[in-house]
Amino acid sequence: MADDNALTFYFDFVSPYAYLAWKQIQNVAARHRRTLIVKPILFAALLNHHGQKGPAEIPAKRIYTFKNVIRMAHFSGLSITPPAAHPFNPLLALRASSVPMAESARLALIDAIFDVTWQGAKIDGSRDVTDPKTIAALATNVGLDGAKVLEAASSQEMKDRVRIETENAIAQGAFGVPTMIADGELFWGADSIPHLEAYLRGEDPANRERLNMFTEIPVGATRQRSPS
Amino acid sequence: MADDNALTFYFDFVSPYAYLAWKQIQNVAARHRRTLIVKPILFAALLNHHGQKGPAEIPAKRIYTFKNVIRMAHFSGLSITPPAAHPFNPLLALRASSVPMAESARLALIDAIFDVTWQGAKIDGSRDVTDPKTIAALATNVGLDGAKVLEAASSQEMKDRVRIETENAIAQGAFGVPTMIADGELFWGADSIPHLEAYLRGEDPANRERLNMFTEIPVGATRQRSPS
């Protein structure tokens, strides 16, 4: 049964903005008495769907993105450290986070994977979340059976689950990560958390009437490939 | 002679984020005793250069962008109203803003064009900044010779100037608007203004040492077009 009081958090470990939002979202859900639903999805598939480039795929933007997350982390009081490599293939970590388990264990596992990726934490000396041994050790460390989590993460069912949740996110209008959805209202990016909280307080200034003013205007020009 | 104390503001009237930044940047420059240098550039050419889509070109993102700017304006205490059409062709407005004139007149003209575009202001009943009559009237209204500004805006020299300044922005690493540059340090987006101000106070947490940690890591994966 759908939870009418849900706050859904779509994320990919590859995104430093997802990390910054992750470190705040459990408190946001608690403050507003929302049930946090976490959904690991593949950011690259969102980019493919929308024909868009990710911030790490435009050289000038890649450097700026790193500076921006250092600054955002600093002013949010969060620590951030680069992963062992970036971008990296997040599929194993996403699938492991999707394996059926108690929600408290899932939150702990996701937190542990984020900490190894973006906070400099190590497990058995490793910071490589693309390595099955690292994922198994992290699962064991939060009280799960690491070998079983790893086996389940490699199943077709978990491959399908990440793909289906990614498609669900796209169907709900997601075009990036993190995406947070409450009552069908979508918020994108770590910097949208204050807007999400205003919405959850019933104080969203982007109400239907205001929005219609913007969505009802015509498109006046489309981009030409070679502007004069 | 280059102004070592400059704060350069690259913008395009088509961007609501450029409008939100514009309404703050003169105060930022004054607070930090920087000389504000304004540079009208063509956002579409930045997108073309980087092979990127603009927020208005991804349907789900277009709606979200409008909501986001309503929220950002609200929480910044700024009013925002949609333009007559969007996107629109900004070239005439950009070229008119590039015509040689006193800098005080230029700031007033840019402010007037932004107000007609994003604040609901009208001049002679018009809100259409793609209309030469509107641009001429706005120029006249800020004390310029409207007919002369319009004539100069249509010259090859002004076409070249906007193109060259756009190329200059790209050469300095710009990939979007607004882009603000101080001492070669680039800040992108209205939401980066607090980061810009931290930099101008000498308190940028993204110092060289921190940044090198991020830029020296290897690329671990590149996106495939059809992730499994």
PDB file of all heavy atoms in Angstrom, chain A residues 185-206:
ATOM      1  N   GLU A 185       5.244  16.092  -5.410  1.00  0.00           N
ATOM      2  CA  GLU A 185       6.025  17.326  -5.649  1.00  0.00           C
ATOM      3  C   GLU A 185       7.505  16.979  -5.631  1.00  0.00           C
ATOM      4  O   GLU A 185       7.990  16.378  -4.670  1.00  0.00           O
ATOM      5  CB  GLU A 185       5.691  18.360  -4.567  1.00  0.00           C
ATOM      6  CG  GLU A 185       6.223  19.752  -4.848  1.00  0.00           C
ATOM      7  CD  GLU A 185       5.490  20.441  -5.989  1.00  0.00           C
ATOM      8  OE1 GLU A 185       4.268  20.264  -6.120  1.00  0.00           O
ATOM      9  OE2 GLU A 185       6.163  21.148  -6.771  1.00  0.00           O
ATOM     10  N   LEU A 186       8.207  17.380  -6.691  1.00  0.00           N
ATOM     11  CA  LEU A 186       9.602  16.966  -6.887  1.00  0.00           C
ATOM     12  C   LEU A 186      10.573  18.089  -6.522  1.00  0.00           C
ATOM     13  O   LEU A 186      10.356  19.259  -6.875  1.00  0.00           O
ATOM     14  CB  LEU A 186       9.766  16.561  -8.357  1.00  0.00           C
ATOM     15  CG  LEU A 186      11.097  16.077  -8.895  1.00  0.00           C
ATOM     16  CD1 LEU A 186      10.849  15.179 -10.107  1.00  0.00           C
ATOM     17  CD2 LEU A 186      12.013  17.234  -9.287  1.00  0.00           C
ATOM     18  N   PHE A 187      11.641  17.717  -5.842  1.00  0.00           N
ATOM     19  CA  PHE A 187      12.711  18.664  -5.513  1.00  0.00           C
ATOM     20  C   PHE A 187      14.026  18.061  -5.962  1.00  0.00           C
ATOM     21  O   PHE A 187      14.298  16.887  -5.716  1.00  0.00           O
ATOM     22  CB  PHE A 187      12.719  18.964  -4.010  1.00  0.00           C
ATOM     23  CG  PHE A 187      11.474  19.673  -3.561  1.00  0.00           C
ATOM     24  CD1 PHE A 187      10.322  18.946  -3.253  1.00  0.00           C
ATOM     25  CD2 PHE A 187      11.425  21.055  -3.510  1.00  0.00           C
ATOM     26  CE1 PHE A 187       9.153  19.597  -2.889  1.00  0.00           C
ATOM     27  CE2 PHE A 187      10.264  21.716  -3.142  1.00  0.00           C
ATOM     28  CZ  PHE A 187       9.119  20.978  -2.834  1.00  0.00           C
ATOM     29  N   TRP A 188      14.850  18.860  -6.606  1.00  0.00           N
ATOM     30  CA  TRP A 188      16.098  18.366  -7.199  1.00  0.00           C
ATOM     31  C   TRP A 188      17.291  19.072  -6.583  1.00  0.00           C
ATOM     32  O   TRP A 188      17.340  20.292  -6.540  1.00  0.00           O
ATOM     33  CB  TRP A 188      16.083  18.614  -8.707  1.00  0.00           C
ATOM     34  CG  TRP A 188      17.390  18.379  -9.377  1.00  0.00           C
ATOM     35  CD1 TRP A 188      18.158  17.241  -9.332  1.00  0.00           C
ATOM     36  CD2 TRP A 188      18.107  19.311 -10.208  1.00  0.00           C
ATOM     37  NE1 TRP A 188      19.291  17.409 -10.095  1.00  0.00           N
ATOM     38  CE2 TRP A 188      19.289  18.659 -10.632  1.00  0.00           C
ATOM     39  CE3 TRP A 188      17.857  20.616 -10.637  1.00  0.00           C
ATOM     40  CZ2 TRP A 188      20.222  19.279 -11.469  1.00  0.00           C
ATOM     41  CZ3 TRP A 188      18.781  21.233 -11.468  1.00  0.00           C
ATOM     42  CH2 TRP A 188      19.941  20.558 -11.873  1.00  0.00           C
ATOM     43  N   GLY A 189      18.237  18.266  -6.117  1.00  0.00           N
ATOM     44  CA  GLY A 189      19.512  18.825  -5.678  1.00  0.00           C
ATOM     45  C   GLY A 189      19.580  19.089  -4.186  1.00  0.00           C
ATOM     46  O   GLY A 189      18.571  19.362  -3.535  1.00  0.00           O
ATOM     47  N   ALA A 190      20.805  19.013  -3.663  1.00  0.00           N
ATOM     48  CA  ALA A 190      21.009  19.267  -2.238  1.00  0.00           C
ATOM     49  C   ALA A 190      20.587  20.685  -1.868  1.00  0.00           C
ATOM     50  O   ALA A 190      20.102  20.931  -0.755  1.00  0.00           O
ATOM     51  CB  ALA A 190      22.481  19.046  -1.871  1.00  0.00           C
ATOM     52  N   ASP A 191      20.733  21.612  -2.804  1.00  0.00           N
ATOM     53  CA  ASP A 191      20.393  22.999  -2.487  1.00  0.00           C
ATOM     54  C   ASP A 191      18.887  23.243  -2.473  1.00  0.00           C
ATOM     55  O   ASP A 191      18.456  24.341  -2.115  1.00  0.00           O
ATOM     56  CB  ASP A 191      21.096  23.966  -3.455  1.00  0.00           C
ATOM     57  CG  ASP A 191      20.778  23.665  -4.910  1.00  0.00           C
ATOM     58  OD1 ASP A 191      20.222  22.586  -5.189  1.00  0.00           O
ATOM     59  OD2 ASP A 191      21.085  24.499  -5.774  1.00  0.00           O
ATOM     60  N   SER A 192      18.092  22.233  -2.843  1.00  0.00           N
ATOM     61  CA  SER A 192      16.633  22.409  -2.808  1.00  0.00           C
ATOM     62  C   SER A 192      16.038  21.983  -1.461  1.00  0.00           C
ATOM     63  O   SER A 192      14.823  22.093  -1.272  1.00  0.00           O
ATOM     64  CB  SER A 192      15.964  21.626  -3.940  1.00  0.00           C
ATOM     65  OG  SER A 192      15.932  20.243  -3.643  1.00  0.00           O
ATOM     66  N   ILE A 193      16.872  21.508  -0.540  1.00  0.00           N
ATOM     67  CA  ILE A 193      16.327  21.025   0.731  1.00  0.00           C
ATOM     68  C   ILE A 193      15.563  22.125   1.498  1.00  0.00           C
ATOM     69  O   ILE A 193      14.483  21.847   2.032  1.00  0.00           O
ATOM     70  CB  ILE A 193      17.433  20.344   1.576  1.00  0.00           C
ATOM     71  CG1 ILE A 193      17.741  18.973   0.930  1.00  0.00           C
ATOM     72  CG2 ILE A 193      17.003  20.164   3.030  1.00  0.00           C
ATOM     73  CD1 ILE A 193      18.777  18.147   1.656  1.00  0.00           C
ATOM     74  N   PRO A 194      16.067  23.366   1.530  1.00  0.00           N
ATOM     75  CA  PRO A 194      15.246  24.404   2.181  1.00  0.00           C
ATOM     76  C   PRO A 194      13.876  24.582   1.504  1.00  0.00           C
ATOM     77  O   PRO A 194      12.879  24.861   2.175  1.00  0.00           O
ATOM     78  CB  PRO A 194      16.105  25.673   2.054  1.00  0.00           C
ATOM     79  CG  PRO A 194      17.512  25.163   1.919  1.00  0.00           C
ATOM     80  CD  PRO A 194      17.396  23.874   1.146  1.00  0.00           C
ATOM     81  N   HIS A 195      13.835  24.414   0.176  1.00  0.00           N
ATOM     82  CA  HIS A 195      12.552  24.519  -0.529  1.00  0.00           C
ATOM     83  C   HIS A 195      11.650  23.333  -0.179  1.00  0.00           C
ATOM     84  O   HIS A 195      10.443  23.496   0.009  1.00  0.00           O
ATOM     85  CB  HIS A 195      12.780  24.570  -2.047  1.00  0.00           C
ATOM     86  CG  HIS A 195      13.555  25.765  -2.507  1.00  0.00           C
ATOM     87  ND1 HIS A 195      13.934  25.952  -3.818  1.00  0.00           N
ATOM     88  CD2 HIS A 195      14.029  26.841  -1.829  1.00  0.00           C
ATOM     89  CE1 HIS A 195      14.604  27.091  -3.922  1.00  0.00           C
ATOM     90  NE2 HIS A 195      14.680  27.640  -2.734  1.00  0.00           N
ATOM     91  N   LEU A 196      12.240  22.145  -0.108  1.00  0.00           N
ATOM     92  CA  LEU A 196      11.481  20.960   0.308  1.00  0.00           C
ATOM     93  C   LEU A 196      10.900  21.167   1.700  1.00  0.00           C
ATOM     94  O   LEU A 196       9.723  20.871   1.936  1.00  0.00           O
ATOM     95  CB  LEU A 196      12.402  19.735   0.290  1.00  0.00           C
ATOM     96  CG  LEU A 196      11.893  18.471   1.002  1.00  0.00           C
ATOM     97  CD1 LEU A 196      10.651  17.921   0.315  1.00  0.00           C
ATOM     98  CD2 LEU A 196      12.997  17.402   1.058  1.00  0.00           C
ATOM     99  N   GLU A 197      11.708  21.701   2.591  1.00  0.00           N
ATOM    100  CA  GLU A 197      11.215  21.900   3.961  1.00  0.00           C
ATOM    101  C   GLU A 197      10.096  22.944   4.001  1.00  0.00           C
ATOM    102  O   GLU A 197       9.138  22.797   4.762  1.00  0.00           O
ATOM    103  CB  GLU A 197      12.365  22.276   4.896  1.00  0.00           C
ATOM    104  CG  GLU A 197      13.332  21.116   5.082  1.00  0.00           C
ATOM    105  CD  GLU A 197      13.938  21.059   6.479  1.00  0.00           C
ATOM    106  OE1 GLU A 197      13.164  20.882   7.449  1.00  0.00           O
ATOM    107  OE2 GLU A 197      15.146  21.194   6.587  1.00  0.00           O
ATOM    108  N   ALA A 198      10.206  23.989   3.188  1.00  0.00           N
ATOM    109  CA  ALA A 198       9.120  24.972   3.120  1.00  0.00           C
ATOM    110  C   ALA A 198       7.838  24.293   2.630  1.00  0.00           C
ATOM    111  O   ALA A 198       6.750  24.514   3.170  1.00  0.00           O
ATOM    112  CB  ALA A 198       9.499  26.126   2.183  1.00  0.00           C
ATOM    113  N   TYR A 199       7.987  23.434   1.630  1.00  0.00           N
ATOM    114  CA  TYR A 199       6.822  22.686   1.142  1.00  0.00           C
ATOM    115  C   TYR A 199       6.224  21.832   2.256  1.00  0.00           C
ATOM    116  O   TYR A 199       5.001  21.810   2.458  1.00  0.00           O
ATOM    117  CB  TYR A 199       7.209  21.804  -0.056  1.00  0.00           C
ATOM    118  CG  TYR A 199       6.090  20.872  -0.428  1.00  0.00           C
ATOM    119  CD1 TYR A 199       5.042  21.315  -1.231  1.00  0.00           C
ATOM    120  CD2 TYR A 199       6.045  19.576   0.074  1.00  0.00           C
ATOM    121  CE1 TYR A 199       3.980  20.481  -1.524  1.00  0.00           C
ATOM    122  CE2 TYR A 199       4.990  18.741  -0.210  1.00  0.00           C
ATOM    123  CZ  TYR A 199       3.960  19.199  -1.003  1.00  0.00           C
ATOM    124  OH  TYR A 199       2.892  18.374  -1.276  1.00  0.00           O
ATOM    125  N   LEU A 200       7.084  21.127   2.987  1.00  0.00           N
ATOM    126  CA  LEU A 200       6.599  20.214   4.034  1.00  0.00           C
ATOM    127  C   LEU A 200       5.936  20.981   5.183  1.00  0.00           C
ATOM    128  O   LEU A 200       5.088  20.436   5.890  1.00  0.00           O
ATOM    129  CB  LEU A 200       7.752  19.336   4.553  1.00  0.00           C
ATOM    130  CG  LEU A 200       8.328  18.335   3.540  1.00  0.00           C
ATOM    131  CD1 LEU A 200       9.582  17.649   4.100  1.00  0.00           C
ATOM    132  CD2 LEU A 200       7.287  17.287   3.127  1.00  0.00           C
ATOM    133  N   ARG A 201       6.309  22.238   5.350  1.00  0.00           N
ATOM    134  CA  ARG A 201       5.655  23.097   6.354  1.00  0.00           C
ATOM    135  C   ARG A 201       4.363  23.706   5.820  1.00  0.00           C
ATOM    136  O   ARG A 201       3.687  24.445   6.537  1.00  0.00           O
ATOM    137  CB  ARG A 201       6.586  24.269   6.740  1.00  0.00           C
ATOM    138  CG  ARG A 201       7.755  23.931   7.629  1.00  0.00           C
ATOM    139  CD  ARG A 201       8.379  25.200   8.227  1.00  0.00           C
ATOM    140  NE  ARG A 201       8.731  26.201   7.209  1.00  0.00           N
ATOM    141  CZ  ARG A 201       9.925  26.274   6.609  1.00  0.00           C
ATOM    142  NH1 ARG A 201      10.881  25.428   6.926  1.00  0.00           N
ATOM    143  NH2 ARG A 201      10.161  27.208   5.709  1.00  0.00           N
ATOM    144  N   GLY A 202       4.042  23.438   4.536  1.00  0.00           N
ATOM    145  CA  GLY A 202       2.852  24.051   3.931  1.00  0.00           C
ATOM    146  C   GLY A 202       3.105  25.483   3.508  1.00  0.00           C
ATOM    147  O   GLY A 202       2.174  26.280   3.401  1.00  0.00           O
ATOM    148  N   GLU A 203       4.383  25.823   3.229  1.00  0.00           N
ATOM    149  CA  GLU A 203       4.726  27.209   2.894  1.00  0.00           C
ATOM    150  C   GLU A 203       5.454  27.310   1.555  1.00  0.00           C
ATOM    151  O   GLU A 203       6.351  28.138   1.387  1.00  0.00           O
ATOM    152  CB  GLU A 203       5.623  27.804   3.999  1.00  0.00           C
ATOM    153  CG  GLU A 203       4.930  27.888   5.338  1.00  0.00           C
ATOM    154  CD  GLU A 203       5.890  28.232   6.489  1.00  0.00           C
ATOM    155  OE1 GLU A 203       7.087  28.492   6.209  1.00  0.00           O
ATOM    156  OE2 GLU A 203       5.446  28.213   7.641  1.00  0.00           O
ATOM    157  N   ASP A 204       5.067  26.457   0.601  1.00  0.00           N
ATOM    158  CA  ASP A 204       5.724  26.505  -0.711  1.00  0.00           C
ATOM    159  C   ASP A 204       5.208  27.699  -1.500  1.00  0.00           C
ATOM    160  O   ASP A 204       4.013  27.781  -1.783  1.00  0.00           O
ATOM    161  CB  ASP A 204       5.424  25.201  -1.473  1.00  0.00           C
ATOM    162  CG  ASP A 204       6.114  25.152  -2.828  1.00  0.00           C
ATOM    163  OD1 ASP A 204       6.967  26.027  -3.099  1.00  0.00           O
ATOM    164  OD2 ASP A 204       5.815  24.220  -3.595  1.00  0.00           O
ATOM    165  N   PRO A 205       6.099  28.636  -1.872  1.00  0.00           N
ATOM    166  CA  PRO A 205       5.607  29.796  -2.642  1.00  0.00           C
ATOM    167  C   PRO A 205       5.254  29.450  -4.089  1.00  0.00           C
ATOM    168  O   PRO A 205       4.568  30.242  -4.747  1.00  0.00           O
ATOM    169  CB  PRO A 205       6.790  30.769  -2.591  1.00  0.00           C
ATOM    170  CG  PRO A 205       7.992  29.916  -2.363  1.00  0.00           C
ATOM    171  CD  PRO A 205       7.526  28.730  -1.557  1.00  0.00           C
ATOM    172  N   ALA A 206       5.698  28.282  -4.562  1.00  0.00           N
ATOM    173  CA  ALA A 206       5.418  27.906  -5.958  1.00  0.00           C
ATOM    174  C   ALA A 206       4.079  27.184  -6.037  1.00  0.00           C
ATOM    175  O   ALA A 206       3.987  26.026  -6.412  1.00  0.00           O
ATOM    176  CB  ALA A 206       6.540  27.034  -6.514  1.00  0.00           C
TER     177      ALA A 206
END
